Amino acid sequence: MRKTSQHGQWSSRLAFILAATGSAVGLGNIWKFPYITGENGGGAFVLVYLACIFAIGIPIMMAEIMLGRRGRQSPINTMRDLAREAAGSRFWSWLGWLGVIAGFLILSYYSVIAGWAMAYVVRVGSGVFDGVTSDGVSNIFGQFIADPEKLLAWHSLFMILTMLVVARGVKGLERTVKFLMPALLVILVLLVGYAMEQGSFQQGVSFLFKADFSKITSDGILTAMGHAFFTLSLGMGAIMVYGSYLPSKISIGSTTIIIALADTAVALLAGLAIFPIVFANGLEPGSGPGLIFQTLPIAFGHMAYGSIFGALFFVLLFFAAWSSSISLIEPAVAWLVENKKMSRMRACIWAGLVTWTVGIGTVLSFNIAADLTLFGKTFFDVLDYLTANIMLPLGGLCIAIFAGWVMNKETARQELSLKHAALFNTWLFLVKFVSPLAVLVVFLKAIEVI
Ligand code: TRP
């Protein structure tokens, strides 16, 4: 009674690994991980983040892929059918809806930041930053984000590129990531090499890996956990929908480990490329979302062939964002095709338009509407906090509960088909108890109940 997806299948295990790694590795690794690490004091934050990846992220990713492959549809329909199969409540299809909404909201700001990366390919490549001072870089960044029309133009371009890939379906996704992922790794390794040669490498390493727990707050722990979900693309159905295109015979356990390790490696490599340059130039690690845009151009402006290295770096960032953004919208597109009987093209146009429109809010939050705040947070900050720190962990919590408590144990065992019984039991223990409890404790701590 194994189903197949109406949207097609990945052609091989490698194709799935590349696509899922493409989804996982993105702005989260290269833009967000360094700046939140900087804001939260370094080593201790990194340690909490790593613990979350292994104790919460990996088991939940296995659960998400497993549910997707079992259901073989968009997350909304998958959850509805799996709940029916397990005689569970209809409420579970709401998990799919939560995911679709989270996907729209994340992509709406993700696209704006990806637009910054594209703009910086041109800026850095044209040599604007040659010999620049730190004030000069801040000015250029400040002027850039103060210009809503420019931000909007880049945001629009990025959305069009994303929707073009999604419109071509599974085959389109596959062809794009096969080329993007290897290119990305090569450029990143090149940059770490540069940081070793020219940056304060020692200082960068000890900032990233020397844990000082006095520097971390409960909000920092929530951020680290939220980021573990964000960086692995968990908790909103992106990995579930990718799992629904996974051929039945492929092992979920080992593939998950490969994806999680690759994602973690890229984040750490990005940190190793960025912090040595930050320290060598006396820059501020905690300067926020502008970190890589305000610090790296200084380094690029002073190194030999800096405009080439710099342009490469931002091309890398754009590539990484592109292969992630497609997974943020795929659950919604799959649902529109299944339930509204739309062609993929039409579904993409609608989903793209909605996301693009919400993105205007983020564009304006950096300039005209910068003073419009809620609890001291701009529109962009609110979206980021709401999605990464609340919606994704909540979605992940529900996925773990569903896989551990609602779904039939034998179905899960069969679908995961892990080689050893002990491995299955470990996974089950993690999704039944460890992951849900960890998410709950961090939530409660963040709202200071305990
Ligand atoms: N993981 C991506 C990154 O690190 C972002 C992303 C893609 C994502 N798909 C997702 C985040 C689904 C949460 C959920 O940049």
Side-chain angles (χ1 to χ4, degrees):
M1 59 168 241
R2 292 219 190 253
K3 298 186 224 157
T4 49
S5 166
Q6 73 176 81
H7 311 281
Q9 274 202 1
W10 303 111
S11 63
S12 65
R13 176 168 185 254
L14 182 66
F16 173 70
I17 291 180
L18 287 175
T21 311
S23 161
V25 173
L27 293 176
N29 305 60
I30 298 165
W31 160 74
K32 193 172 179 192
F33 173 73
Y35 93 74
I36 57 178
T37 300
E39 282 177 340
N40 288 284
F45 176 85
V46 175
L47 209 63
V48 176
Y49 156 77
L50 290 175
C52 291
I53 294 280
F54 288 96
I56 307 177
I58 290 181
I60 291 186
M61 184 184 273
M62 287 173 65
E64 226 189 289
I65 298 175
M66 188 258 289
L67 296 180
R69 185 163 76 178
R70 182 82 195 165
R72 290 261 186 245
Q73 296 162 79
S74 68
I76 295 171
N77 293 335
T78 286
M79 289 315 297
R80 185 199 60 211
D81 285 6
L82 293 184
R84 202 178 285 155
E85 185 181 86
S89 139
R90 285 186 55 128
F91 148 86
W92 289 104
S93 62
W94 275 98
L95 184 52
W97 282 107
L98 178 78
V100 165
I101 296 167
F104 275 125
L105 296 181
I106 295 175
L107 184 55
S108 77
Y109 71 81
Y110 203 86
S111 166
V112 176
I113 310 292
W116 294 3
M118 291 163 86
Y120 265 63
V121 173
V122 182
R123 282 202 164 52
V124 176
S126 65
V128 179
F129 294 104
D130 288 351
V132 79
T133 60
S134 49
D135 286 346
V137 168
S138 296
N139 281 342
I140 293 175
F141 180 72
Q143 272 168 20
F144 173 58
I145 62 168
D147 186 341
E149 278 156 32
K150 267 201 193 116
L151 298 194
L152 188 64
W154 287 109
H155 162 56
S156 311
L157 180 60
F158 186 81
M159 278 308 304
I160 291 170
L161 290 174
T162 297
M163 299 332 286
L164 277 178
V165 174
V166 181
R168 299 178 64 193
V170 170
K171 283 278 164 288
L173 304 186
E174 202 175 306
R175 231 170 281 150
T176 314
V177 287
K178 263 199 174 135
F179 154 71
L180 294 183
M181 296 312 296
L184 194 139
L185 200 67
V186 172
I187 302 176
L188 198 56
V189 169
L190 225 68
L191 276 166
V192 175
Y194 173 81
M196 277 173 139
E197 289 281 311
Q198 307 286 329
S200 305
F201 201 66
Q202 251 350 73
Q203 214 180 334
V205 170
S206 70
F207 181 77
L208 270 177
F209 297 112
K210 248 174 95 186
D212 175 356
F213 280 94
S214 67
K215 290 205 182 126
I216 197 161
T217 58
S218 46
D219 207 47
I221 294 177
L222 177 65
T223 305
M225 181 183 74
H227 188 64
F229 282 97
F230 186 91
T231 192
L232 292 178
S233 305
L234 296 181
M236 54 72 62
I239 289 294
M240 195 183 288
V241 85
Y242 275 23
S244 75
Y245 309 147
L246 184 65
S248 302
K249 56 185 188 307
I250 291 169
S251 145
I252 292 178
S254 59
T255 354
T256 299
I257 304 267
I258 295 173
I259 298 162
L261 289 181
D263 182 78
T264 308
V266 173
L268 296 178
L269 281 176
L272 286 177
I274 288 165
F275 286 111
I277 301 178
V278 167
F279 291 119
N281 293 279
L283 304 166
E284 176 50 54
S287 61
L291 180 68
I292 61 171
F293 298 96
Q294 278 171 297
T295 56
L296 292 184
I298 301 184
F300 294 131
H302 289 92
M303 66 171 84
Y305 306 110
S307 58
I308 297 175
F309 271 117
L312 273 178
F313 177 85
F314 287 106
V315 167
L316 154 80
L317 192 60
F318 156 66
F319 277 4
W322 197 10
S323 62
S324 297
S325 60
I326 53 189
S327 73
L328 283 161
I329 201 78
E330 179 66 17
V333 169
W335 182 80
L336 286 173
V337 171
E338 285 165 14
N339 289 45
K340 299 287 160 210
K341 305 286 168 255
M342 286 188 191
S343 66
R344 266 194 93 85
M345 192 52 155
R346 246 187 120 74
C348 281
I349 293 173
W350 279 110
L353 270 177
V354 171
T355 317
W356 177 82
T357 311
V358 182
I360 297 174
T362 292
V363 163
L364 300 181
S365 76
F366 289 104
N367 35 66
I368 299 171
D371 296 330
L372 203 69
T373 57
L374 191 71
F375 303 117
K377 290 182 189 305
T378 64
F379 184 79
F380 159 72
D381 296 331
V382 169
L383 274 192
D384 176 41
Y385 194 90
L386 181 72
T387 53
N389 293 7
I390 298 171
M391 294 175 87
L392 298 180
L394 197 63
L397 175 72
C398 294
I399 287 167
I401 292 177
F402 187 87
W405 295 91
V406 180
M407 195 172 184
N408 180 303
K409 195 168 132 188
E410 286 319 307
T411 312
R413 189 195 305 276
Q414 190 193 0
E415 196 62 58
L416 281 176
S417 59
L418 295 169
K419 287 217 179 67
H420 303 284
L423 281 179
F424 178 75
N425 291 335
T426 311
W427 171 80
L428 194 62
F429 179 74
L430 288 171
V431 288
K432 256 185 130 132
F433 303 105
V434 179
S435 322
L437 272 179
V439 174
L440 273 180
V441 167
V442 176
F443 265 156
L444 293 180
K445 205 149 169 55
I447 51 175
E448 280 162 29
V449 173
I450 51 176

